[in-house]
Structures are given as C-alpha cells and as structure tokens.
Amino acid sequence: MTERLIEKKDGAVGWLMFNNPERRNAVSLDMWQAIPSVLEDFEKDSNIRVVVLAGAGDKAFVSGADISQFEKQRSSEEAVKRYEEIGAAAQARLAACEKPLIAMIRGYCLGGGLNIANTCDLRIAAEDARFGIPAAKMGLGYRASSMKKLVETVGAPFAREIMITARQFNATEALRMGLVHHVVPVSELESFTKRFCDDIAANAPLTIRAAKRIIREVSKKDYDAAACDAWVKECFASEDYAEGRRAFMEKRKPQFRGR
C-alpha cells in the first residue's frame, strides 16, 4: 500500500482516492501496484455496494502517469515491460471488479487517467473536466487492451481523433463522444455522485454482478451462452429475488442482502 492511494469506506460506498495532488494526481508505480489490493478489500466487504474513484484536490482526477519516474522506471526495454505489466494488471483488475465502479472526474483526466476512468462502469464529470491522451506528444506506444477499450467506448472515429490529435477535450465534447455519462456543475459533482451511489446501492447486488459479467462476456467474439444463463439463474434462485417480489406486492422498497 501507499499513502498516494487512499481507501475509505462510507456506508455502502467505497472510495478509492488518487492522492498525488502536487503532481495533479499523476499515477506513480506504487499507486498502480496498490489498486488491486484496494479493490480486493472492497469486494470482500458485503457492506460495500459501489466503488467511487476520485482524485484528491480540485485540479485533477488523474493527469496521467507520473512522467518524473519515466527516466528510471520506463527508459530501458526491460523497465518498460515491467511498467506495462504492472499498469495492465491494475487496469485489468479494475475492469474485472464485480461491484459497480464510478469515476468522479474533476479537472484533468489524461493519458493513464483516462484509461482508468474508462475501465469504470460509469463516469460522472464536472464541467471543468478535461480529457485527452497525449501519447503522440511524447512518442509513447499505447497497449492494445487500452486502445480496444477506448474504441468500445467512443467508437473508432473518435478514438482516432483522440489519439492522432493528442489534444484535450472539454466535458461537453466528452459527453458527445460517449466518453462520460453525465456532466454536472463543479459545485454539484460530489452531491450528484453520492445520490447516484445511493440509487445503485439500493439495487440487488446479484443482479448488478450478473449484468456486469454478462456484458463483459457478450462483448467477446464467441461468448459463453451457458455461463450467461447460469448467472441469470443465480439471480432467480436468490433470496433477493423473493424479497423483490414481496416488496413489489407489499408496495414497499426492497431490502436486498446480496444472497
């Protein structure tokens, strides 16, 4: 673990905070390494229903990778390979998280920061948010897994514009691309996100988990239909499904327990 990645639990919400404000929350190697263990802790805690990723301070969500480390940790072929493996593992763990992930974005969301946000299920941006992947300004190569995810989110035409121009896009442009789901005033970002989390936390955890699994699976070229059917059956066989039926008939809000 590292002090640059803060883990906090607030009721049903787990907060993962990128805490490197002096570098606009640029992700250092130790931060990449810490991400999987934080997510593991959130997933094991049945009280946590949704996870929010955010940046410390008011300047950035994540402004990219910490370039000050590149000369030492990303200059030789061996170092680049190790760095890429650690970063890819962190992003893969984010993508595989069984609980809903929300990126709460204020300020800069660039490079690796955009990749992190793009692994989340939902992205809520403040009006001051700025997005981009400046790889072409530094001569960096981008791993195929990150590029594939970008294409899945915004489509090939916008992915080309993001990568080829290497320019920054404002929140309105990001919304038009489909890069974010909601854009709200800066003053309302946190309250909007918390209300969003409350709505999600009230839903059936097993249904959400099944939906995330099935969406991932059907995105594959040859998906496993039997596995998808099994996840659906788990929902129908659950106590939560019985509770949902009872609550509907009794005209009350259901109390789901995730079992």
Side-chain angles (χ1 to χ4, degrees), residues 111 168 210:
Q168 292 183 15

Side-chain angles (χ1 to χ4, degrees), residues 1-13:
M1 295 301 293
T2 171
E3 63 182 11
R4 292 179 178 175
L5 198 72
I6 297 175
E7 174 186 353
K8 184 176 74 171
K9 297 179 181 180
D10 182 13
V13 183

Side-chain angles (χ1 to χ4, degrees), residues 108-232:
Y108 294 106
C109 181
L110 306 175
L114 193 151
N115 288 336
I116 288 170
N118 200 29
T119 61
C120 294
D121 300 295
L122 299 164
R123 290 167 291 282
I124 302 170
E127 291 175 336
D128 70 347
R130 304 285 295 183
F131 302 84
I133 298 179
K137 295 184 182 294
M138 290 193 62
L140 291 171
Y142 245 63
R143 69 178 72 96
S145 59
S146 296
M147 202 75 79
K148 181 176 184 294
K149 184 65 177 174
L150 181 64
V151 172
E152 289 174 349
T153 300
V154 302
F158 281 133
R160 292 189 190 100
E161 183 175 2
I162 290 169
M163 297 304 302
I164 292 171
T165 67
R167 75 177 182 88
Q168 292 183 15
F169 300 84
N170 61 36
T172 300
E173 291 174 304
L175 184 64
R176 177 171 58 88
M177 291 177 177
L179 195 56
V180 298
H181 296 83
H182 299 278
V183 175
V184 300
V186 171
S187 61
E188 299 176 17
L189 178 62
E190 190 165 342
S191 61
F192 182 94
T193 303
K194 287 181 177 179
R195 289 195 302 272
F196 215 70
C197 289
D198 289 342
D199 289 342
I200 294 171
N203 292 334
L206 297 182
T207 300
I208 291 172
R209 185 180 71 182
K212 289 194 61 170
R213 287 176 173 178
I214 293 170
I215 290 169
R216 281 198 301 266
E217 186 63 29
V218 300
S219 297
K220 300 174 183 177
K221 184 177 180 180
D222 296 308
Y223 70 87
D224 189 338
C228 293
D229 288 343
W231 295 326
V232 171

Side-chain angles (χ1 to χ4, degrees), residues 42-62:
F42 286 150
E43 284 193 331
K44 288 180 179 177
D45 190 337
S46 61
N47 293 317
I48 298 299
R49 297 290 182 87
V50 58
V51 177
V52 178
L53 278 62
D58 59 4
K59 301 298 183 185
F61 171 72
V62 173

Side-chain angles (χ1 to χ4, degrees), residues 16 35 39 53 89-97 101 116 119-120 212:
L16 189 159
I35 288 173
L39 293 177
L53 278 62
Q91 291 186 51
R93 187 63 185 84
L94 285 163
C97 185
L101 295 181
I116 288 170
T119 61
C120 294
K212 289 194 61 170

